[in-house]
Amino acid sequence: MSDSYSPGLHLLGQLHTDQTELLRTAAGFRAVIDAAIAEAELTSVGEVYHDFPGGGFTAVICLTESHLSIHTWPEYGRATLDVFLSNFRQVNDHKAQLLFERCRAYFQATTHHYHELKR
Amino acid sequence: MSDSYSPGLHLLGQLHTDQTELLRTAAGFRAVIDAAIAEAELTSVGEVYHDFPGGGFTAVICLTESHLSIHTWPEYGRATLDVFLSNFRQVNDHKAQLLFERCRAYFQATTHHYHELKR
């Protein structure tokens, strides 16, 4: 194990919003997160988007050795959001914050049960 | 917001192993996690597997409103593992533990920086 390993930053939160329509399908979110990934100059290596028949969606975007995930519950006005960015080649902490904030803003949400983990 | 919302369990850990060959490509891991998902009677709704040219891989398996993710660093003998299972229809905490343990055992790893978050 090398001493040069630099942990990444994992942001975890629960978003609460009255805009429950935004939680029902992934299309709008997808446009926002694609723009945020481009803004942060990050690279997607694959993604999964799944809309549930009754409303709500799950999405995971794999970034280079990192990921962003969201699971929505429109019936509760909630989503669980994770942004984990490694620091493999550079410190990406500010980019993790940017992605989290772009998601929060899109849903016009307040953030609850928020954790920041160095890992 | 309904009072009936039941938070899920998110397990986060860093695996350390001397079996660095297992961290280089995803194929062996994929077989193990597919078996564990079947054992736990969970449902995948999509997945991403990405092997890096220099060794190491990233994988995310989306389960129903939940996910499992892993990012490996063979050069450091490490992987970061997340298992997040919601309790949408039933309490799945024991299934989260099972998936985490199957991964740890496959890599013959010790677990560090371990967190359990109710969310």
Side-chain angles (χ1 to χ4, degrees), chain A residues 65-79:
Chain A
E65 291 171 321
S66 306
H67 68 270
L68 182 150
S69 71
I70 189 164
H71 310 293
T72 73
W73 283 266
E75 64 272 41
Y76 300 115
R78 297 186 187 192

Side-chain angles (χ1 to χ4, degrees), chain B residues 17-86:
Chain B
T17 181
D18 294 328
Q19 308 297 314
T20 54
E21 278 305 308
L22 300 178
L23 299 172
R24 295 191 64 78
T25 60
F29 171 78
R30 188 167 190 160
V32 167
I33 198 62
D34 284 351
I37 288 169
E39 178 183 359
E41 300 182 333
L42 294 166
T43 303
S44 169
V45 297
E47 46 203 46
V48 174
Y49 282 90
H50 181 79
D51 286 326
F52 291 95
F57 66 89
T58 279
V60 177
I61 300 102
C62 282
L63 306 165
T64 310
E65 291 174 320
S66 306
H67 69 270
L68 181 150
S69 71
I70 188 165
H71 308 292
T72 73
W73 283 267
E75 64 272 39
Y76 300 116
R78 298 188 186 190
T80 49
L81 176 64
D82 285 62
V83 181
F84 174 39
L85 290 189
S86 76

Side-chain angles (χ1 to χ4, degrees), chain A residues 9 11 32-47 61-68 82-100 102-103, chain B residues 52:
Chain A
L9 179 64
L11 311 179
V32 166
I33 198 62
D34 283 351
I37 289 169
E39 179 184 359
E41 301 182 332
L42 294 166
T43 303
S44 169
V45 297
E47 45 202 48
I61 300 100
C62 283
L63 305 165
T64 309
E65 291 171 321
S66 306
H67 68 270
L68 182 150
D82 286 62
V83 181
F84 174 39
L85 290 190
S86 75
N87 291 327
F88 181 58
R89 292 197 179 82
Q90 56 182 329
V91 174
N92 283 318
D93 293 358
H94 62 295
K95 297 186 177 184
Q97 304 281 7
L98 184 150
L99 292 186
F100 197 99
R102 291 291 181 274
C103 295
Chain B
F52 291 95

Side-chain angles (χ1 to χ4, degrees), chain A residues 17-59:
Chain A
T17 181
D18 294 329
Q19 308 296 315
T20 55
E21 278 304 309
L22 299 179
L23 300 171
R24 295 191 63 79
T25 59
F29 171 79
R30 188 168 191 160
V32 166
I33 198 62
D34 283 351
I37 289 169
E39 179 184 359
E41 301 182 332
L42 294 166
T43 303
S44 169
V45 297
E47 45 202 48
V48 174
Y49 282 89
H50 181 78
D51 286 326
F52 290 96
F57 67 89
T58 277

